[in-house]
Amino acid sequence: MYRCVALVLLPLALGGAGPAGKLCPTATAVLPNLICVESANGVVLAGSAARAEQLLTLAEAGVVRFKEYFGRQALRYAVAEGPDALVPPESVAALRKAGFPVVLPWISPKVYRQQVEQSIRRGLTARMAGRPQDEIEAAVQKAVDQQTNPERFARTELATVSHELGHYWFWQGYWPKSTLSEDKHYGGPSPDWLDEMSAVLMEAPSSFNDRVKQFGQRYATYRADPQKADENTRLTVDIVNFFSEVHPAHLQTKMLSQQVGGDLKKDSFRAMVFSGEEARKIIEGGARFYLQSAVASQYLIDRTGNRQIFGRIAEAFARGETMAQWLANKEPKGKLPRDLKALQADWMAWLETRFPAEVATKPAA
């Protein structure tokens, strides 16, 4: 499933990248009008060599992180970006058939801007109903320019390219024969929390650390007065709920896509960018899940003493275990509690030390 909703939340150099070699001839046979660059791990096809190299750097950083956290090599990948339109589904299928089990159709800066403009135009046209058309148009273009400037776009891609590849590497690596035709999960066949964690762990450190910082801010609000905290803040510290819930952004994304004329399930290769009010609705539902994914991953590593514990958990889920069953099985888990109730209590104690309260100091006499 191509995750076709990119939210507008408004280089690490690696060896091995290079021009066409063993993999590119196979890939360009499918998409001959695109420029291809490759590494030992996969290929990127784009409208120019510079753009392809840029995306390859982001993808390769994800390959390193997948090995770091899952203890296995990421599957061979192809990132394909059409300059003027998303590559068609038949080309994605052909790339998979040609030996690239993970294929990520990517959205170019040009198409990204077009999608952002469509989203902003929908929102501003509704909000500014009755105002002169030239005034609406000026407001649209100003907002689009702000949200698609090159620096902002680069920051978005720094997180999202490896994030989206992480979903595929995880899903296809542990459930290679599965499909996403069933409407049970936001992502792949695993519980949604580990599916999302697998992607968050692939993000650049700057993006990951920002999620941890935001979690800390929410936790500080909860700790100040748990009784006054809103429901979303209380859920932020409920790790048992996190291990069982459906991705909170799933319903919002599906409803919005249908409102603007799409069906994510049937039209899975149609790129759609939400911005402004549309993005806010999705962010409200899903932001907590991303923050929890980042900090819960740190908790699992800390308590188990195993940086690659996520591969062990994935293997358990792939053989049909639940989180409760995995906690209770005989595999070594370091200091991690063996049942969910004890784990919740331990998690809360861990948060106290992970995000210590600021202590006011007296001024010097």
Side-chain angles (χ1 to χ4, degrees), residues 38 73 75 82 89 97 112 115-116 118 130 141 145 162 165 170 197 199 218 222 267 292 299 307 331 341-342 346 348:
E38 71 175 66
Q73 178 64 31
L75 295 175
K97 188 175 181 180
Y112 179 79
Q115 291 286 329
V116 168
Q118 290 175 15
Q141 293 307 316
D145 289 342
S162 53
L165 282 169
F170 173 68
M197 190 179 287
R218 290 195 180 202
Y222 172 85
D267 192 14
Q292 287 176 297
Y299 169 72
R307 200 166 183 80
E331 293 178 7
K341 183 177 180 180
D346 184 66
M348 295 301 293

Side-chain angles (χ1 to χ4, degrees), residues 53 118 147 155-156 182 219 222 234 282 295 316 323 348:
E53 289 280 3
Q118 290 175 15
Q147 296 203 29
R155 287 199 308 270
T156 299
E182 57 184 344
Y219 175 64
Y222 172 85
R234 290 195 297 271
I282 299 174
V295 177
M323 187 60 175
M348 295 301 293

Side-chain angles (χ1 to χ4, degrees), residues 97-115:
K97 188 175 181 180
F100 300 94
V102 167
V103 181
L104 178 64
W106 198 243
I107 189 168
S108 70
K110 177 181 178 180
V111 177
Y112 179 79
R113 182 181 174 90
Q114 292 171 347
Q115 291 286 329

Side-chain angles (χ1 to χ4, degrees), residues 26-351:
T26 301
T28 52
V30 176
L31 291 166
N33 295 326
L34 297 179
I35 303 298
C36 181
V37 297
E38 71 175 66
S39 71
N41 307 298
V43 302
V44 174
L45 301 109
S48 70
R51 177 61 176 163
E53 289 280 3
Q54 180 183 20
L55 292 173
L56 186 70
T57 297
L58 299 177
E60 287 295 293
V63 169
V64 172
R65 289 190 283 269
F66 191 82
K67 179 72 172 180
E68 177 184 358
Y69 290 112
F70 286 89
R72 61 165 67 180
Q73 178 64 31
L75 295 175
R76 179 173 292 170
Y77 67 86
V79 178
E81 177 187 276
D84 303 311
L86 204 67
V87 297
E90 54 269 25
S91 296
V92 173
L95 284 169
R96 289 186 180 131
K97 188 175 181 180
F100 300 94
V102 167
V103 181
L104 178 64
W106 198 243
I107 189 168
S108 70
K110 177 181 178 180
V111 177
Y112 179 79
R113 182 181 174 90
Q114 292 171 347
Q115 291 286 329
V116 168
E117 182 172 340
Q118 290 175 15
S119 176
I120 289 175
R121 190 178 299 280
R122 287 192 296 266
L124 287 181
T125 299
R127 280 212 319 266
M128 299 175 69
R131 306 285 285 274
Q133 186 58 41
D134 59 346
E135 185 178 337
I136 296 174
E137 187 62 29
V140 168
Q141 293 307 316
K142 180 179 180 180
V144 171
D145 289 342
Q146 289 175 343
Q147 296 203 29
T148 61
N149 70 71
E151 183 179 347
R152 184 168 186 163
F153 184 72
R155 287 199 308 270
T156 299
E157 285 199 324
L158 185 63
T160 54
V161 172
S162 53
H163 178 111
E164 296 303 329
L165 282 169
H167 281 297
Y168 283 108
W169 287 325
F170 173 68
W171 160 37
Q172 285 294 294
Y174 291 94
W175 289 270
K177 297 181 179 180
S178 67
T179 66
L180 292 181
S181 59
E182 57 184 344
D183 193 23
K184 294 182 179 179
H185 295 294
Y186 179 76
S190 86
D192 283 2
W193 72 268
L194 188 57
D195 178 271
E196 198 59 65
M197 190 179 287
S198 71
V200 169
L201 284 166
M202 297 306 103
E203 295 176 2
S206 59
S207 301
F208 184 92
N209 291 338
D210 187 56
R211 296 195 191 281
V212 174
K213 179 180 178 180
Q214 290 180 52
F215 182 102
Q217 292 167 346
R218 290 195 180 202
Y219 175 64
T221 298
Y222 172 85
R223 179 168 48 194
D225 193 337
Q227 299 304 317
K228 291 184 179 180
D230 61 32
E231 181 182 9
N232 213 32
T233 301
R234 290 195 297 271
L235 286 174
T236 299
V237 300
D238 189 341
I239 198 170
V240 175
N241 178 74
F242 173 66
F243 286 148
S244 62
E245 71 177 319
V246 173
H247 197 305
H250 174 63
L251 182 60
Q252 290 93 336
T253 301
K254 185 175 181 180
M255 289 175 62
L256 278 171
S257 70
Q258 292 172 345
Q259 288 171 12
V260 297
D263 186 325
L264 293 183
K265 189 176 175 182
K266 296 180 180 178
D267 192 14
S268 59
F269 289 92
R270 186 160 72 86
M272 185 173 292
V273 176
F274 294 119
S275 184
E277 181 67 14
E278 294 173 341
R280 185 190 64 77
K281 291 179 181 179
I282 299 174
I283 291 168
E284 284 180 352
R288 167 177 56 82
F289 212 65
Y290 295 95
L291 307 188
Q292 287 176 297
S293 295
V295 177
S297 73
Q298 294 184 324
Y299 169 72
L300 291 170
I301 291 172
D302 184 66
R303 286 303 197 238
T304 62
N306 182 359
R307 200 166 183 80
Q308 298 177 346
I309 192 62
F310 312 102
R312 299 276 294 276
I313 299 173
E315 289 167 359
F317 289 163
R319 61 179 180 257
E321 291 185 26
T322 64
M323 187 60 175
Q325 290 170 333
W326 177 76
L327 287 172
N329 74 25
K330 296 180 180 180
E331 293 178 7
K333 299 178 182 68
K335 298 178 181 179
L336 193 69
R338 293 303 187 118
D339 67 79
L340 290 170
K341 183 177 180 180
L343 185 140
Q344 176 66 40
D346 184 66
W347 157 256
M348 295 301 293
W350 181 84
L351 288 178

